[in-house]
C-alpha cells in the first residue's frame, strides 16, 4: 500500500487531507507536531511521501523538510502553505520540497491528483533503466542513482535526479521549460512552470562551481535551459 505522512496541527485541515488521500487509496499516517512526525517516520520506514504544514506548535515545516531530506533524498515532500508570498514558497522549495500546495485547499480531487503525480514520479523514477553517463566532471549512474562531481557524491532529490538525467540525455540541446515540467512532473501536473526554475536554481547550487555564473546549466533566454556539456 502507498503510505503517506500528513503533518498538520489544525485538525479540520488534517481531516480534509486525510479523507482526500484515503479515498484516493493511500494509507495515511497522521501527525500534529514535528516530534510526532519523526516518530511516525521511524515506525513506518515505508512512507514514501510527506505532506508538511509550515506553522507547527513545536517547530516549522521547513525545518522538518530539511531534516527529512537529509535523512532520505528519495522522500517525496509537499509543503502545505497558508502563506501566499512568493518568498515563502521559494524558501520551502529551497529546503528540499518537491511541490507546494496553498491553503485553503480548493478541492479534494485536485489535492489527491497532485499527490498521485508525485507518487508516480517516485515510482517510475526507481531503477527501470540502466546505464552510466559520464560528462565533464559529472558521473550519473542510473542503476544506483548516484551522482558525482569530480568523484565526490552529490545527493540529489528525486526531482533533481530526473532533471539531471534529462539534461545528460539531451546534452548540448536547448530544452523547453515546459518539456522539463512534462517529463519530470508529469503532464497532469497542476502547478506552474516556475517550479522548474526553482528546482534548477537549487540544482545549480549543488553542482555549479559558481552558481551565480553557471557554466553547466545554461539559461536559454525565452526557451528554457541547456546542459552545457
Ligand atoms: Ca498549522
Amino acid at each position: 500500500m502507498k503510505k503517506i505522512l500528513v503533518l498538520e496541527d489544525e485538525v479540520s485541515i488534517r481531516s480534509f487531507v486525510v479523507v482526500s488521500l484515503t479515498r484516493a487509496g493511500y494509507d495515511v499516517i497522521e501527525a500534529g507536531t514535528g516530534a510526532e512526525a519523526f516518530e511516525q517516520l521511524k515506525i513506518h520506514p515505508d512512507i514514501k511521501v510527506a505532506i508538511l504544514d509550515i506553522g507547527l506548535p513545536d517547530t516549522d515545516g521547513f525545518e522538518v523538510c530539511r531534516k527529512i531530506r537529509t535523512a532520505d533524498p528519495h522522500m517525496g515532500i509537499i509543503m502545505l502553505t497558508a502563506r501566499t508570498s512568493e518568498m515563502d514558497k521559494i524558501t520551502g522549495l529551497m529546503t528540499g520540497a518537491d511541490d507546494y500546495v496553498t491553503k485553503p485547499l480548493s478541492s479534494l480531487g485536485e489535492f489527491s491528483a497532485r499527490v498521485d503525480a508525485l507518487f508516480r514520479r517516485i515510482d517510475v523514477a526507481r531503477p527501470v533503466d540502466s546505464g552510466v553517463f559520464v560528462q565533464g566532471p559529472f558521473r550519473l549512474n542510473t542503476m544506483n542513482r548516484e551522482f558525482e562531481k569530480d568523484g565526490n557524491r552529490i545527493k540529489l532529490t528525486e526531482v533533481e535526479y530526473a532533471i539531471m538525467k534529462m539534461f545528460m540525455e539531451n546534452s548540448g540541446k536547448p530544452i523547453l521549460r515546459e518539456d522539463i515540467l512534462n517529463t519530470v512532473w508529469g503532464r497532469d501536473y497542476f502547478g506552474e512552470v516556475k517550479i522548474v526554475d526553482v528546482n534548477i536554481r537549487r540544482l545549480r547550487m549543488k553542482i555549479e562551481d559558481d552558481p551565480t555564473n553557471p557554466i553547466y546549466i545554461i539559461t536559454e533566454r525565452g526557451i528554457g535551459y541547456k546542459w552545457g556539456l
Side-chain angles (χ1 to χ4, degrees), residues 34-148:
E36 271 174 41
F38 290 116
E39 209 176 286
Q40 292 298 339
L41 285 166
K42 251 186 232 161
I43 301 170
H44 306 277
D46 51 341
I47 289 174
K48 285 187 180 159
V49 167
I51 317 273
L52 309 176
D53 177 32
I54 292 169
L56 295 163
D58 59 338
T59 176
D60 69 72
F62 297 133
E63 184 58 19
V64 176
C65 174
R66 202 183 55 74
K67 282 188 185 157
I68 292 178
R69 184 53 83 216
T70 308
D72 180 6
H74 300 302
M75 179 80 71
I77 301 176
I78 299 178
M79 303 305 290
L80 207 53
T81 172
R83 307 176 194 180
T84 46
S85 84
E86 271 317 283
M87 223 26 245
D88 275 352
K89 285 180 184 172
I90 304 294
T91 312
L93 292 159
M94 296 301 275
T95 58
D98 298 296
D99 199 357
Y100 59 85
V101 175
T102 311
K103 292 190 275 191
L105 302 167
S106 45
S107 79
L108 287 168
E110 181 183 333
F111 183 71
S112 57
R114 291 281 279 270
V115 176
D116 286 345
L118 182 58
F119 237 102
R120 250 197 318 279
R121 199 160 72 231
I122 289 169
D123 274 355
V124 287
R126 298 282 164 183
V128 275
D129 43 9
S130 65
V132 176
F133 292 93
V134 180
Q135 293 171 9
F138 301 103
R139 186 174 189 276
L140 182 75
N141 184 334
T142 60
M143 282 168 288
N144 58 13
R145 308 168 69 75
E146 279 185 5
F147 182 66
E148 292 173 0

